[in-house]
Amino acid sequence: MELAYIPSPSSGVLYLGPVPLRGYAFCIIIGVFVAVWLGNKRWVARGGRAGTVADIAVWAVPFGLVGGRLYHVITDYQLYFSEGRDWVDAFKIWEGGLGIWGAIAFGALGAWIGCRRRGVPMPAYADAVAPGIALAQAIGRWGNWFNQELYGRATDLPWAVEITSSADGREPGTYHPTFLYESLWCVGVALLVIWADRRFRLGHGRAFALYVAAYCTGRFWIEYMRVDEAHEILGLRLNNWTSILVFLLAVLYIVLSARKRPGREDVVEPGVSDGDAASGGEADGADEAGEAVEKDEAEASDGKKEADGAGQDSKDGAGSAKKN
């Protein structure tokens, strides 16, 4: 008999009158807002303009959602296209099923488009938003709790999650809450990247690469604990192999990037002044007007000095002539 466990919601949908509020979608939305908020603060601190992160996120987020869903559907196609399944369910993203690797890949493509349109370097943008992405994942994982998914082996530990649903082959019982493990790990990754970025002044995409490498480390052992159906290669789940490959690529990037481009970018958004960074460009006119006034005052002062000098010279000349 279990003395303690984490209960699962009886339903993943809450109704505000006739409007359904799905827990999974709500967690994703909150995660996006947190990522943009933190990314904006880090971007401004590095000399960028307030609002740039949100503008680029308009491209990155939709691409990321599409990529995440595509990765999930492709790697778990049997859930949607096998006998007795309805392929229309592949479009029901609110029911869960986003692959982080597809989300990152397609999200990066969307971010690249947004960066090109704003004229900012993609690596610098990635560094700014890296901790926020980790926190967004930490929040988004609680969407799996609402859907009673992403759990590990059976256990009677006090922090086990109780699964009550028997849909899609689930067996009611208490299991390792791998969604919780990954959520906590992602919070740790975010803190690690923030600390390392301040300590070593990471630049040129290395903060983002650190996030990727650290996340892959945790994802490997968390994935190994899961018991839901998945494709395997040589006894390891597909996502385990993906974690290994992506981890190695991230570490390789950190090493090569540090050798080729040490240090951090001096300018992350060309044409941005201190006033732009602080107020998002609202102070442009005031700054320019102030500079113009100062310039006019300086010119007037110089003109006055020249006039005084000329008057003094004339006076001296007249006095000298009178004396002679």
Side-chain angles (χ1 to χ4, degrees):
M1 178 179 179
E2 297 85 5
L3 299 178
Y5 54 80
I6 302 173
S8 291
S10 58
S11 174
V13 184
L14 301 175
Y15 287 91
L16 299 178
V19 180
L21 180 62
R22 300 184 180 277
Y24 187 89
F26 183 73
C27 291
I28 296 296
I29 293 171
I30 294 299
V32 169
F33 274 104
V34 170
V36 172
W37 169 78
L38 181 57
N40 180 71
K41 289 179 67 67
R42 287 172 52 80
W43 183 252
V44 171
R46 293 188 62 174
R49 180 181 288 110
T52 296
V53 168
D55 291 343
I56 297 175
V58 170
W59 289 90
V61 173
F63 272 73
L65 291 174
V66 171
R69 189 60 175 178
L70 280 175
Y71 182 90
H72 168 73
V73 172
I74 292 173
T75 56
D76 291 304
Y77 61 87
Q78 72 281 357
L79 299 177
Y80 307 99
F81 303 105
S82 60
E83 185 177 354
R85 299 284 184 169
D86 187 356
W87 63 271
V88 176
D89 291 341
F91 297 95
K92 297 179 179 179
I93 192 172
W94 56 86
E95 293 184 353
L98 288 175
I100 184 60
W101 313 117
I104 293 296
F106 273 65
L109 175 60
W112 178 79
I113 295 174
C115 287
R116 292 272 295 181
R117 291 172 61 88
R118 290 299 297 256
V120 303
M122 174 70 176
Y125 179 82
D127 285 341
V129 300
I133 293 176
L135 290 180
Q137 289 178 253
I139 297 171
R141 276 309 178 199
W142 284 90
N144 300 121
W145 176 64
F146 280 99
N147 288 349
Q148 297 198 33
E149 58 189 6
L150 197 61
Y151 52 87
R153 303 182 184 93
T155 183
D156 57 359
L157 291 171
W159 55 84
V161 62
E162 181 190 31
I163 300 299
T164 59
S165 173
S166 58
D168 295 326
R170 298 186 183 95
E171 295 184 7
T174 55
Y175 300 86
H176 278 284
T178 50
F179 75 90
L180 175 60
Y181 298 160
E182 185 167 337
S183 179
L184 294 175
W185 182 268
C186 287
V187 172
V189 170
L191 295 176
L192 170 66
V193 174
I194 292 174
W195 170 82
D197 196 23
R198 290 177 178 177
R199 175 66 177 80
F200 303 105
R201 292 184 56 81
L202 302 176
H204 302 286
R206 290 188 287 277
F208 184 82
L210 176 61
Y211 144 71
V212 172
Y215 172 74
C216 289
T217 302
R219 180 60 185 265
F220 180 86
W221 68 266
I222 292 170
E223 188 73 22
Y224 192 75
M225 295 178 66
R226 291 174 59 175
V227 294
D228 53 310
E229 182 181 356
H231 296 288
E232 294 186 356
I233 301 175
L234 300 178
L236 286 179
R237 296 164 67 96
L238 176 60
N239 281 331
N240 282 118
W241 288 108
T242 306
S243 296
I244 294 173
L245 176 61
V246 176
F247 171 84
L248 294 175
L249 291 175
V251 172
L252 180 63
Y253 178 86
I254 292 174
V255 174
L256 296 180
S257 175
R259 291 179 179 176
K260 185 176 181 181
R261 293 183 175 182
R264 178 186 286 180
E265 301 91 340
D266 294 326
V267 178
V268 297
E269 191 165 359
V272 179
S273 65
D274 292 340
D276 292 328
S279 62
E282 294 178 359
D284 283 350
D287 290 344
E288 292 175 359
E291 291 175 359
V293 171
E294 291 177 359
K295 183 177 181 181
D296 290 342
E297 291 178 350
E299 291 177 350
S301 178
D302 292 342
K304 184 178 179 180
K305 290 179 180 179
E306 291 176 359
D308 291 343
Q312 184 65 37
D313 291 343
S314 176
K315 183 177 179 179
D316 292 344
S320 177
K322 184 177 180 180
K323 183 177 180 181
N324 292 335

